[in-house]
Amino acid sequence: MDEQVPAGARLGSPRSGEAGSGGGQEAAAILESARASVDPELRRALDSLPGSIRRIALYHFGWEHADGTPAAGNPGKAIRPALVLAAVRALGGEHETAVRAAAAVELIHNFTLLHDDVMDRDTTRRHRPTAWTVFGDADAILAGDALQALAQRLLAEDPHPASSAAAARLASCVVELCEGQHADTAMEKRGPHEVTLDECLAMAEAKTGALLGCACAVGALYAGAGDEDVEALDAFGRSAGLAFQLIDDVIGIWGDPSRTGKAAGADLVVRKKSLPVVAALASGTAAAAELAELYGAPYREGGLERTVLAVERAGGRDWAQAQAGDWMARAVQELSRAVPEPEAAGGLLALAEFVTRRSN
């Protein structure tokens, strides 16, 4: 893709969090239904873990406090399991048959969160301290490893005829996720002008798009779809995933911590090469030069506001929002290859719109 940041580029649809109430309500209902279907399967899986590991996992999901007492916490939005179930429905399958597969995808997502928090040294998630800050690095990593194993066991024990293909696809996805995370951490060690937008987009596809694509593809497999439809659903999820990452990066810089549950600007402090930052650095503006100077030196106390303003003045925010719109349009095109009827595709479209127009 072209690395030149278009001057004044803006997303041609509402900004993040300003989606129409009808679509937002549909997505909320789909997510609530997915959470209700998948949570019992997740709890059964977590309850099978050894006590010490189970305690960490239940804390991470928000279902227990650090002392092991019950909590009515926030286990996340369930976007990925919702995509699995919505894909099954879109292709004419019975979504009830894919609940175990949807739970497996959610376990993989949470495995990555536990590990990412350790590597990124993030101290809050879902409005509470991250697992590594409570239990230590080693215990958080081991809990993540256990969640990955549980995901594969759920599929291995699933009698559905698509479970073997789904397990293979999910395993390949984990390798790609690791590749994306490795690229992300490696980019932090490189200079401000040593990372290209193409590299950054490839990293985002591997780190974020891969699992959303896998979720949709697993749903297609459980619906009995052919290879072409499975790949089209994977491409839909990957494109929506890139839009998701673009908006997530915007929220990471300009989001309200009281809504996101994470500190604003944390990625800027550690000099992470997020998409808005790399786009801003590539803009050739005076603000880009200022940002490169800031990113070329360790963070200094009080420098966050100046860095945020430099990214915005260099066009990073506008570029990311415009790109999110473009990737969403690609997602819709990919989906229409497998599900040409708008009514059948409605659930997947509502979820894609939700993740690209959110504010937390």
Side-chain angles (χ1 to χ4, degrees):
M1 295 183 65
D2 186 1
E3 293 185 19
Q4 182 63 40
V5 180
R10 288 190 178 275
L11 184 61
S13 54
R15 280 191 179 235
S16 172
E18 295 177 2
S21 60
Q25 289 173 356
E26 182 182 1
I30 293 169
L31 292 169
E32 184 178 355
S33 175
R35 189 92 266 169
S37 296
V38 172
D39 277 1
E41 192 71 49
L42 287 173
R43 283 182 174 270
R44 279 191 291 271
L46 297 184
D47 284 345
S48 72
L49 291 171
S52 57
I53 299 294
R54 181 173 66 245
R55 180 177 170 186
I56 301 163
L58 288 170
Y59 172 83
H60 168 75
F61 273 89
W63 290 326
E64 283 190 1
H65 296 294
D67 62 3
T69 56
N74 171 21
K77 296 181 177 69
I79 291 167
R80 291 153 192 83
L83 285 170
V84 175
L85 301 179
V88 175
R89 292 191 194 96
L91 291 168
E94 298 293 332
H95 78 276
E96 294 87 355
T97 65
V99 170
R100 189 175 294 184
V105 170
E106 183 72 343
L107 286 168
I108 291 296
H109 174 52
N110 281 277
F111 138 70
T112 68
L113 296 183
L114 280 161
H115 283 201
D116 285 359
D117 286 343
V118 173
M119 286 182 276
D120 296 342
R121 310 315 286 172
D122 285 336
T123 57
T124 58
R125 181 173 293 282
R126 299 166 183 163
H127 304 279
R128 68 198 316 226
T130 46
W132 73 267
T133 67
V134 176
F135 301 99
D137 289 1
D139 283 355
I141 291 168
L142 289 169
D145 292 342
L147 295 190
Q148 183 186 173
L150 278 182
Q152 290 296 336
R153 191 176 77 187
L154 282 181
L155 292 174
E157 295 175 348
D158 190 351
H160 194 285
S163 62
S164 178
R169 197 165 194 109
L170 196 58
S172 295
C173 178
V174 169
V175 174
E176 191 172 356
L177 292 170
C178 292
E179 178 189 19
Q181 179 66 12
H182 178 266
D184 190 23
T185 55
M187 285 178 186
E188 292 180 33
K189 302 183 180 80
R190 294 163 64 183
H193 289 301
E194 294 175 359
V195 176
T196 68
L197 269 176
D198 283 346
E199 284 183 290
C200 205
L201 285 165
M203 176 273 293
E205 180 179 352
K207 185 177 175 181
T208 303
L211 188 54
L212 269 69
C214 183
C216 296
V218 166
L221 288 170
Y222 270 70
D227 290 347
E228 287 190 11
D229 287 347
V230 172
E231 294 309 320
L233 265 290
D234 182 86
F236 160 75
R238 284 174 179 270
S239 295
L242 273 168
F244 176 99
Q245 187 60 57
L246 285 153
I247 295 302
D248 197 62
D249 285 352
V250 169
I251 292 169
I253 299 173
W254 293 280
D256 180 355
S258 68
R259 299 187 65 182
T260 65
K262 298 181 72 172
D267 287 351
L268 299 181
V269 171
V270 297
R271 302 311 193 220
K272 188 176 286 290
K273 309 299 192 300
S274 66
L275 286 160
V277 167
V278 176
L281 288 167
S283 68
T285 62
E290 179 186 4
L291 180 61
E293 182 181 348
L294 289 166
Y295 252 59
Y299 173 75
R300 293 181 179 178
E301 193 68 31
L304 180 58
E305 183 177 353
R306 184 182 170 195
T307 308
V308 170
L309 287 173
V311 176
E312 184 147 20
R313 286 200 302 268
R317 183 175 189 170
D318 286 343
W319 177 89
Q321 290 179 317
Q323 284 287 303
D326 289 347
W327 282 104
M328 181 60 187
R330 296 185 197 192
V332 172
Q333 288 180 336
E334 296 291 353
L335 180 59
S336 67
R337 289 168 46 202
V339 191
E341 301 83 9
E343 185 175 345
L348 287 169
L349 287 172
L351 290 171
E353 288 285 326
F354 172 81
V355 300
T356 56
R357 296 187 182 179
R358 63 202 179 94
S359 58
N360 58 51

